[in-house]
């Protein structure tokens, strides 16, 4: 049995390694963030990201192994994110994983980063029942996924322009808050009035085939226009009202999707799922609708390798090992059913 999985995640600006047993028991999870390296540029610089992954990945893997309490020869398989993400960054993790798999003579398994986010909740809620609807909100993606079974997904809707995290980052940059914007807006919004400015809720009233889709670029423009017209507005009120508009759309659409497919549970995933207002409103909405809410801890929402090891374990069960000529696929999509 390939139960003890070493997971490796290098798709963007986090270098992470973790050891997880049977997609349930997290023995170690090490995350080295590159935020300080990119902050002064206001966003992730791909060339800097891949170089930093090369520098720290070996010690990060070593730390994950030591903290797991397992010796090298007790690891049963190595999983790494093969996409979506930055090609140079992905290649660092995929190459390291394949090399270790070869040396240790264990299977290598390529993991879809989005599938990793879908599995984050399972690490903390082993009794999670399928089918579920998952609201996956990250820096690059915003999607509502009907998880019918393990590895069997239906995409209900996704963003037609910016991802929710991208909107947080762009608005924060415009407001001069820094990078990454999500946590900074989250913090500042606590001092502002979420009802101060009535920002638009993109696509919230759609009842056609786009009813589960999202749009955030109009909101971003509305923030810019509002600040230009009202130079005296407080940044805290703008942050709180912007966040309120995003959370309102996300929660409204997620609960509608859950009702439509008759899901018994609604789950959050992805970096934006670390947002305090979203977490609170999500749990309240599920309680009102009588469905179970699954909200992973903040550390499991943002990029980490434990979720990659967990998704890797499930992929090994269903598809077996990946070939050793597997490369990086920057625009890899979530594998969809039928
Ligand atoms: O999933 P993730 O760590 O990386 C990607 O796969 O994209 O998500 C990163 C995104 C960034 O846009 C970041 O600003 C956002 O998640 N984020 C947040 C919060 N923490 C991270 N957005 C809102 N509130 C937060 N507390
Ligand atoms: Zn992510």
């Amino acid at each position: 049995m390939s139960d003890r999985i070493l997971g490796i995640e290098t798709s963007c600006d986090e270098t992470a390694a973790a050891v997880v047993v049977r997609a349930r028991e997290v023995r170690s999870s090490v995350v080295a963030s590159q935020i300080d390296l990119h902050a002064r540029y206001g966003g992730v610089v791909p060339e800097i990201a891949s170089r930093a992954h090369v520098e720290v990945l070996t010690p990060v893997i070593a730390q994950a192994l030591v903290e797991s309490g397992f010796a090298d020869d007790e690891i049963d398989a190595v999983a790494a994110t093969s996409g979506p993400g930055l090609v140079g960054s992905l290649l660092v993790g995929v190459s390291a994983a394949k090399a270790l798999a070869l040396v240790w003579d264990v299977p290598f398994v390529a993991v879809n980063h989005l599938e990793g986010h879908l599995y984050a909740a399972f690490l903390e809620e082993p009794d999670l029942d399928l089918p579920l609807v998952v609201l996956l909100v990250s820096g690059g993606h915003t999607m509502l996924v009907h998880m019918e079974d393990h590895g069997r997904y239906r995409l209900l809707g996704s963003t037609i322009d910016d991802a929710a995290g991208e909107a947080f980052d762009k608005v924060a940059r415009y407001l001069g808050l820094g990078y990454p914007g999500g946590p900074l807006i989250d913090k500042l919004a606590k001092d502002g009035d979420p009802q101060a400015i009535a920002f638009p809720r993109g696509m919230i009233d759609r009842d056609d085939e786009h009813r589960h889709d999202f749009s955030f670029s109009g909101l971003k423009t509305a923030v810019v226009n509002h600040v230009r017209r009202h130079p005296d507005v407080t940044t805290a009120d703008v942050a709180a009202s912007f966040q309120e508009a995003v959370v309102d759309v996300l929660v409204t659409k997620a609960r509608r999707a859950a009702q439509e497919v008759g899901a018994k549970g609604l789950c959050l995933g992805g970096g934006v799922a670390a947002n305090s207002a979203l977490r609170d409103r999500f749990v309240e909405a599920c309680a009102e609708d009588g469905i179970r809410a699954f909200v992973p801890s903040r550390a499991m929402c943002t990029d980490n390798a434990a979720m990659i090891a967990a998704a890797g374990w499930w992929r090994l069960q269903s598809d077996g090992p990946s070939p050793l000529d597997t490369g990086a696929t920057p625009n890899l999509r979530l594998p969809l059913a039928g």
Side-chain angles (χ1 to χ4, degrees):
M1 280 299 279
S2 295
D3 283 344
R4 296 166 177 175
I5 314 269
L6 168 69
I8 295 175
E9 156 62 37
T10 61
S11 67
C12 192
D13 59 346
E14 245 93 54
T15 314
V19 176
V20 178
V21 183
R22 292 185 68 83
R24 297 265 157 118
E25 191 194 336
V26 181
R27 296 287 293 237
S28 62
S29 180
V30 180
V31 181
S33 172
Q34 303 177 1
I35 283 177
D36 295 346
L37 294 179
H38 301 287
R40 73 168 112 150
Y41 302 102
V44 178
V45 183
E47 183 62 24
I48 294 177
S50 26
R51 281 169 193 267
H53 286 307
V54 171
E55 274 169 28
V56 303
L57 184 55
T58 305
V60 164
I61 292 173
Q63 190 182 340
L65 284 169
V66 168
E67 287 179 10
S68 77
F70 293 133
D72 296 3
D73 61 2
E74 291 176 303
I75 298 297
D76 298 317
V78 187
T81 305
S82 64
L86 303 168
V87 66
S89 294
L90 290 165
L91 277 172
V92 176
V94 168
S95 312
K98 291 194 293 193
L100 286 172
L102 207 56
V103 172
W104 291 340
D105 195 20
V106 295
F108 158 73
V109 56
V111 174
N112 184 308
H113 182 81
L114 301 172
E115 198 167 32
H117 277 303
L118 293 180
Y119 271 100
F122 285 82
L123 283 166
E124 295 173 333
E125 293 273 355
D127 304 326
L128 215 56
D129 262 344
L130 293 170
L132 278 174
V133 167
V134 186
L135 172 63
L136 203 169
V137 269
S138 70
H141 296 84
T142 297
M143 32 175 90
L144 274 166
V145 178
H146 189 196
M147 199 169 173
E148 297 173 331
D149 203 345
H150 290 291
R152 199 178 158 78
Y153 318 114
R154 264 193 332 117
L155 183 65
L156 299 171
S158 57
T159 181
I160 61 162
D161 41 54
D162 292 350
E166 197 179 347
F168 269 97
D169 294 338
K170 285 179 176 170
V171 166
R173 192 180 317 165
Y174 176 71
L175 296 175
L177 299 178
Y179 180 85
L184 299 166
I185 289 188
D186 191 350
K187 192 159 171 263
L188 185 62
K190 294 190 187 354
D191 301 325
D193 174 6
Q195 312 303 333
I197 309 151
F199 284 129
R201 270 74 169 148
M203 301 182 85
I204 203 164
D205 294 323
R206 292 289 281 254
D207 58 2
D208 55 5
E209 74 269 25
H210 292 295
R211 64 195 175 285
H212 300 309
D213 289 337
F214 303 88
S215 167
F216 293 108
S217 75
L219 171 59
K220 180 188 64 195
T221 311
V223 170
V224 173
N225 289 341
H226 187 90
V227 174
R228 279 199 189 132
R229 276 193 224 113
H230 306 87
D232 297 336
V233 69
T234 71
T235 311
D237 278 352
V238 176
S241 302
F242 159 77
Q243 178 175 276
E244 180 72 6
V246 175
V247 169
D248 205 13
V249 173
L250 292 176
V251 172
T252 303
K253 288 189 175 252
R255 72 201 293 188
R256 269 194 215 141
Q259 279 160 6
E260 187 178 305
V261 303
K264 293 193 173 63
L266 198 49
C267 187
L268 258 187
V272 182
N275 183 267
S276 328
L278 176 58
R279 297 166 78 85
D280 293 348
R281 286 275 297 283
F282 191 84
V283 170
E284 275 166 33
C286 289
E288 274 171 30
D289 294 352
I291 55 173
R292 285 187 72 183
F294 299 102
V295 180
S297 65
R298 284 188 165 82
M300 259 330 143
C301 291
T302 48
D303 288 349
N304 65 84
M307 68 184 195
I308 301 304
W313 185 81
W314 284 103
R315 274 287 150 207
L316 263 182
Q317 312 300 306
S318 59
D319 302 352
S322 307
L324 283 179
D325 61 357
T326 304
T329 313
N331 55 359
L332 189 66
R333 289 168 180 267
L334 194 65
L336 298 175

